[in-house]
Amino acid sequence: MARQSFFFPFRRLWRHRWTDAADVRRALPRDALERLTARVAASERRHRGEVRICIEAGLPWSYIRRGAPARERAITLFGKLRVWDTAENNGVLIYLLLAEHAIEIVADRGIDAHVSAEEWTAMAKRMASAFREGRFEDGLTQALEEVSALLVAHFPLAEGERDRNELPDEPVVVV
């Protein structure tokens, strides 16, 4: 057991340094990112929330050195991408860390007040199933549809109301 724990940081470091932009392009080619952009835009025309998708090849060295989990990085990116900065505090970040096939969903307090932690966790697990099969676009699309359904239920657009689109619709790729 001690041997496994000794080598674990090195295996993790290797995996994160080895995973790069080419891996992201293989998992989600340009046309897949364009389809995801269109799906986010279509989703946001149905509710007042904001959804961001972020795909990261591998964690920065500072996170690996500290043994930080993917969740910590997702929360940092939630702030950096200004997902927290929506008028109704109803932004949602769908984060994929490719090196670990880790999925994190970070929701602002406006929508999080309506959705249990178990619901977010179940959603991430369904995404993970698609990712294990190499279906990254399908997994992200499924998560987007589920997040959209929650936002439509809790933040629907009123009759004749238009989406303000407070954040860009394009997925963010961090390499």
Side-chain angles (χ1 to χ4, degrees):
M1 189 63 136
R3 183 177 183 154
Q4 184 180 18
S5 63
F6 174 77
F7 287 107
F8 176 75
F10 297 109
R11 280 196 316 248
R12 187 176 193 216
L13 174 62
W14 177 257
R15 198 169 52 237
H16 285 267
R17 295 301 69 152
W18 187 257
T19 308
D20 62 10
D23 295 297
V24 174
R25 282 191 301 274
R26 274 191 297 279
L28 290 159
R30 180 179 309 280
D31 60 331
L33 294 174
E34 289 170 0
R35 286 189 297 271
L36 287 168
T37 299
R39 288 178 183 128
V40 168
S43 161
E44 290 181 357
R45 286 191 293 270
R46 299 173 32 227
H47 54 74
R48 297 186 318 270
E50 292 293 322
V51 180
R52 293 298 318 255
I53 295 174
C54 180
I55 303 101
E56 186 162 34
L59 289 173
W61 166 244
S62 62
Y63 285 78
I64 296 167
R65 186 185 66 228
R66 293 184 285 112
R71 178 84 181 166
E72 184 178 323
R73 179 65 173 166
I75 291 169
T76 298
L77 288 169
F78 180 84
K80 284 185 174 188
L81 297 173
R82 302 184 63 86
V83 182
W84 58 269
D85 195 21
T86 60
E88 296 185 66
N89 300 310
N90 56 3
V92 178
L93 174 69
I94 301 170
Y95 173 79
L96 166 61
L97 177 59
L98 200 56
E100 295 181 3
H101 289 196
I103 302 105
E104 295 293 337
I105 300 172
V106 183
D108 205 349
R109 63 187 178 270
I111 184 65
D112 198 47
H114 298 285
V115 182
S116 72
E118 292 79 20
E119 287 179 88
W120 294 122
T121 300
M123 193 180 304
K125 283 182 181 179
R126 286 188 291 275
M127 260 175 79
S129 174
F131 294 158
R132 278 192 298 277
E133 297 169 4
R135 299 180 302 111
F136 297 99
E137 182 180 358
D138 292 344
L140 289 168
T141 297
Q142 178 182 349
L144 175 60
E145 289 171 358
E146 291 185 43
V147 167
S148 295
L150 292 170
L151 289 166
V152 166
H154 300 292
F155 295 93
L157 286 173
E159 187 67 34
E161 184 180 11
R162 295 190 60 174
D163 172 42
R164 290 182 27 191
N165 205 19
E166 300 173 77
L167 299 171
D169 297 332
E170 298 82 13
V172 175
V173 177
V174 182
V175 288

